[in-house]
Amino acid sequence: ALGKGSDLEKAFATAALVYNNYADPEGKLSKSETKSLLQSQFWRFIQGQENKPKYQEIISSLDEESENKINFEDFMILLVSLTLMSDLLQEIKNVKTTK
């Protein structure tokens, strides 16, 4: 659908597609499914973050026994939060691309 979309549009479309592939028929993820998705699809961003208090807070909230599920909006906020604290983000910022 976004074959001619911008890189940013394609990135968000990919995030939505990955989320939808993991989500239940109601379009939500359990906390354990969310953690599994992050570990399998977002591990380069979360790698090395284990000792950061904010990371521990986020992951422990996913470990809590709860029937609450995560919708796409919450998932995207989670991705942005993890990205902002990631060491990989700094490496990405240091790379300049020319168009």
Side-chain angles (χ1 to χ4, degrees):
L2 280 175
K4 295 183 179 183
S6 71
D7 290 344
L8 187 58
E9 289 169 328
K10 290 176 186 175
F12 274 88
T14 299
L17 288 170
V18 170
Y19 177 88
N20 286 338
N21 285 337
Y22 279 78
D24 66 17
E26 295 175 355
K28 295 185 177 185
L29 290 174
S30 72
K31 289 183 175 186
S32 64
E33 290 168 326
T34 302
K35 187 174 178 181
S36 176
L37 187 154
L38 292 172
Q39 290 171 333
S40 67
Q41 297 286 322
F42 210 63
W43 68 272
R44 285 185 177 92
F45 277 92
I46 61 177
Q47 183 178 17
Q49 306 308 302
E50 297 84 4
N51 295 325
K52 292 184 178 179
K54 185 64 177 170
Y55 175 84
Q56 291 174 350
E57 178 185 327
I58 290 169
I59 295 304
S60 68
S61 73
L62 295 176
D63 286 334
E64 292 173 2
E65 293 299 322
S66 174
E67 293 185 17
N68 292 339
K69 293 191 173 187
I70 294 174
N71 62 23
F72 182 67
E73 179 180 336
D74 292 336
F75 178 73
M76 291 303 289
I77 291 168
L78 179 63
L79 285 184
V80 169
S81 297
L82 291 170
T83 300
L84 289 173
M85 74 176 70
S86 174
D87 296 332
L88 183 57
L89 180 62
Q90 190 57 48
E91 290 178 37
I92 291 168
K93 285 181 176 180
N94 291 333
V95 174
K96 301 289 183 198
T97 59
T98 55
K99 296 244 172 193

